[in-house]
Each structure stands twice: as structure tokens, then as C-alpha cells.
Amino acid sequence: GAGVSQTPSNKVTEKGKYVELRCDPISGHTALYWYRQSLGQGPEFLIYFQGTGAADDSGLPNDRFFAVRPEGSVSTLKIQRTERGDSAVYLCASSLNSGGLGTDTQYFGPGTRLTVL
Amino acid sequence: DAKTTQPNSMESNEEEPVHLPCNHSTISGTDYIHWYRQLPSQGPEYVIHGLTSNVNNRMASLAIAEDRKSSTLILHRATLRDAAVYYCIRYGGGSNYKLTFGKGTLLTVNP
């Protein structure tokens, strides 16, 4: 079946602009996650959705970052007033049900490479 | 804090077994050990997970020490397609739903 998809695959923007990154999770997956990966580092957690609600947004670096998942499926990560330091690969993952059991498997998309000039 | 320790890099020859170590000396009783790998220009990919017993699947085997303070991911016959960064992650019960990645081990496979 279809995996997690993310659009666009690449996004180049100028400092100060607004960007939206989209994630289509695997159908039926109630949990959705956003991570950010800088060059040479492992992915870093940003936010977690269980259904439509953000259960944990503690990883969002500041209030320029916001994410929504209005119908419990597709999610959009929104970044306002982009800065050069926001340049990274933004990864989305989904899982069947993150009940904190430790057995849940996360399925990742290919990521969106964001470059802020 | 990834709370796991892995070598920065390892090298193997094609068709030989690879043993990737991971130290997680402060692991709690409810934490599972998960391994993910990330091929170049791709998102991470689940490999295997376990709690106490050794585990096998089509991709790899996971050997967990009796005291659970360390584990080893075993690729039985490395191929060029196995060249990737391998992440060992503690993933626990309760509210520990997020994956905390370290820097992982960069595996190079020589033809």
C-alpha cells in the first residue's frame, strides 16, 4: 500500500517568508509525528498528533512553528517568518496507534528539504 | 538526550555478517529497544525491536544482553543496499511515544 508522502520534496524560500509543508500519512494511522533533521544529525522530534489534536508540541522551537491536522489525516506544518536556521529536512511519520506501548512502529515519509536563503 | 551510545561508524564487506553494537545502560524495565536505519536521502526505516528476548525478522536479528544494558543488531549478510545510518533507540511505555534519535552508526559496505 501507499506509504507516507510529503510535499513538496524540496522548498526554497527567502528569509522572512511563510511556508507550508504537507504530510499524507498512511491510511488508518491515528498517530502522526513531525521531526526535523539538520545535516549530520539524527531527526529531532517536533510535534505529535493523536487524531486531530496535538498531544505534544514540546519540540516546536518557537511560536513561528505551528502544525495542524484538522480531519485527523493530512497534516500541515507551517513556518512563519522563516530564518536561515530553519533550513533542514522536515520528516513526517505515522503509526497505527501510539498508546505508549513501546511496540509501535513509525513509518516515515521521504521528507521535505527546506532551504531558507 | 538519546540515552544510547553507538560507534560513529563501522565498515563491512559485502556478504559478510555485520554486528552493530548499542549501549543503553540506563534502560528502564518498560523500554523497548528499537532499531531504525536511514538510507541516503530517505526517511528513517524501521528495522526491528525487542524487549528481552532475541528477535529475528526478514531484515535482521536483534541480540539483547541478559541485563538489557546493551544490544547488537545483526545483519547476516551485508549488501551494498545496507549502507546506511543505523539508529538504536529506547522506546518506552507510558508517554514515551516519540523517537529520540542520536547520531547513529554510519555503516559502510565495501564491494
Side-chain angles (χ1 to χ4, degrees):
Chain A
V4 177
S5 62
Q6 294 186 244
T7 53
S9 55
N10 281 284
K11 176 70 177 179
V12 180
T13 191
E14 294 179 344
K15 181 176 178 296
K17 299 290 188 182
Y18 168 82
V19 297
E20 289 190 353
L21 311 178
R22 176 188 168 108
C23 172
D24 273 275
I26 293 172
S27 178
H29 281 192
T30 59
L32 185 145
Y33 316 78
W34 285 96
Y35 294 83
R36 178 170 73 171
Q37 186 170 25
S38 300
L39 197 62
Q41 305 294 317
E44 182 183 27
F45 170 79
L46 294 177
I47 187 169
Y48 154 61
F49 287 90
Q50 183 59 259
T52 60
D56 183 353
D57 64 357
S58 63
L60 295 177
N62 51 60
D63 61 6
R64 295 186 297 106
F65 288 74
F66 189 72
V68 295
R69 194 187 185 199
E71 297 178 357
S73 179
V74 170
S75 176
T76 305
L77 179 65
K78 308 180 181 193
I79 310 174
Q80 298 177 321
R81 305 184 303 280
T82 52
E83 300 178 355
R84 292 193 180 87
D86 299 335
S87 296
V89 175
Y90 290 81
L91 294 160
C92 176
S94 70
S95 68
L96 262 176
N97 179 19
S98 184
L101 298 175
T103 59
D104 211 22
T105 296
Q106 294 188 21
Y107 297 85
F108 284 79
T112 293
R113 181 175 298 278
L114 175 67
T115 303
V116 182
L117 301 176
Chain B
D1 178 11
K3 301 179 183 176
T4 63
T5 305
Q6 299 177 253
N8 290 333
S9 62
M10 290 185 66
E11 205 167 321
S12 173
N13 295 321
E14 201 174 8
E15 298 192 3
E16 290 184 355
V18 181
H19 290 234
L20 297 165
C22 179
N23 182 289
H24 29 78
S25 57
T26 60
I27 194 167
S28 75
T30 56
D31 283 351
Y32 281 74
I33 300 146
H34 282 240
W35 285 80
Y36 282 73
R37 72 179 185 180
Q38 189 170 23
L39 279 64
S41 301
Q42 294 188 26
E45 172 189 33
Y46 167 80
V47 177
I48 199 167
H49 75 271
L51 184 61
T52 56
S53 304
N54 294 345
V55 185
N56 300 294
N57 66 19
R58 64 175 181 81
M59 290 181 71
S61 295
L62 177 60
I64 301 172
E66 196 168 337
D67 63 6
R68 297 205 338 118
K69 293 185 177 182
S70 64
S71 61
T72 302
L73 179 70
I74 303 164
L75 306 178
H76 295 285
R77 290 182 65 203
T79 70
L80 297 178
R81 289 174 295 176
D82 291 322
V85 178
Y86 286 78
Y87 297 99
C88 167
I89 300 169
R90 289 167 47 178
Y91 192 47
S95 61
N96 191 15
Y97 40 76
K98 54 191 170 188
L99 294 170
T100 302
F101 291 83
K103 291 191 174 182
T105 296
L106 174 63
L107 176 65
T108 302
V109 180
N110 300 313

